[in-house]
Amino acid sequence: MKTLKIFSAIVLISLVFSACSQTQKQTNMENLQVNKSEEEWKKQLTPEQFEVLRLKGTERAFTGKFESKWDSGIYVCAACGNELFNSNSKFDAGCGWPSFYEALDKSKVIEKKDISHGMVRIEIMCAKCGGHLGHVFDDGPKPTGLRYCINSVSLDFKKKDSTIVIKK
Ligand code: FE
């Protein structure tokens, strides 16, 4: 009887937590700063960008333009310009996609459980426009142990400002 009570309590607590996290995710998606119709996105984005950012597609491994780029700068969302990743956190994961061990700021991305393709993964989306970026895995390097595996096509790159020389 006691075991049953404890079991019931655990189930109840799990349900409450689950409901709370669902509400949080929905709130995040509703409060997007950039909220466009799919038709508007189709006009703005290239077919490849639309396929990945809006339809949650994946570019083929080792084909993206940022997979082996190592310049200093900031990676931004290709759809809305939201600053997402610093080149400092980029590392060679050998997986065929640009990989980062952390986002520029946790608030820049939305995480969502993804059970598509027979796998359980954590999807990463842009917190400003909701565009699909990739997934995050827990097999990354220190200091976070995370690997944000991101499609190049979802990103743009802003090179770090070079030193400004003022002519007198
Ligand atoms: Fe975005």
Side-chain angles (χ1 to χ4, degrees), residues 5-163:
K5 275 186 183 172
I6 292 169
F7 179 73
S8 305
I10 291 170
V11 169
L12 190 66
I13 290 166
S14 307
L15 284 173
V16 170
F17 268 102
S18 169
C20 286
S21 66
Q22 281 301 323
T23 309
Q24 184 62 36
K25 278 168 197 162
Q26 280 165 11
T27 305
N28 285 339
M29 291 304 284
E30 280 167 11
N31 291 342
L32 294 174
Q33 284 179 49
V34 179
N35 217 333
K36 297 185 181 183
S37 70
E38 295 308 300
E39 274 311 304
E40 286 175 301
W41 283 125
K42 213 166 210 172
K43 281 181 196 161
Q44 180 191 321
L45 303 171
T46 67
E48 292 77 20
Q49 288 173 331
F50 186 82
E51 172 65 27
V52 175
L53 283 157
R54 304 310 309 177
L55 303 180
K56 304 184 188 297
T58 303
E59 70 193 10
R60 278 195 301 124
F62 300 102
T63 62
K65 60 182 173 180
F66 297 133
E67 193 264 333
S68 54
K69 184 182 180 72
W70 302 105
D71 295 345
S72 294
I74 301 291
Y75 289 87
V76 304
C77 173
C80 75
N82 188 21
E83 295 189 342
L84 299 168
F85 300 97
N86 192 315
S87 60
N88 291 345
S89 68
K90 193 172 187 293
F91 68 98
D92 188 3
C95 62
W97 292 277
S99 300
F100 306 85
Y101 62 71
E102 68 183 358
L104 204 57
D105 186 297
K106 269 277 181 189
S107 68
K108 300 282 189 177
V109 294
I110 298 172
E111 294 185 3
K112 190 183 172 196
K113 190 174 177 182
D114 173 13
I115 55 166
S116 65
H117 305 290
M119 295 177 270
V120 179
R121 297 178 291 174
I122 305 293
E123 180 191 359
I124 294 297
M125 289 176 287
C126 170
K128 200 170 168 185
C129 73
H132 172 78
L133 303 172
H135 293 86
V136 63
F137 303 93
D138 60 5
D139 56 5
K142 287 179 181 176
T144 62
L146 298 174
R147 171 170 60 98
Y148 288 83
C149 183
I150 307 297
N151 291 281
S152 287
V153 80
S154 298
L155 299 172
D156 263 336
F157 181 71
K158 283 202 301 192
K159 199 166 184 163
K160 192 177 179 182
D161 293 338
S162 48
T163 312

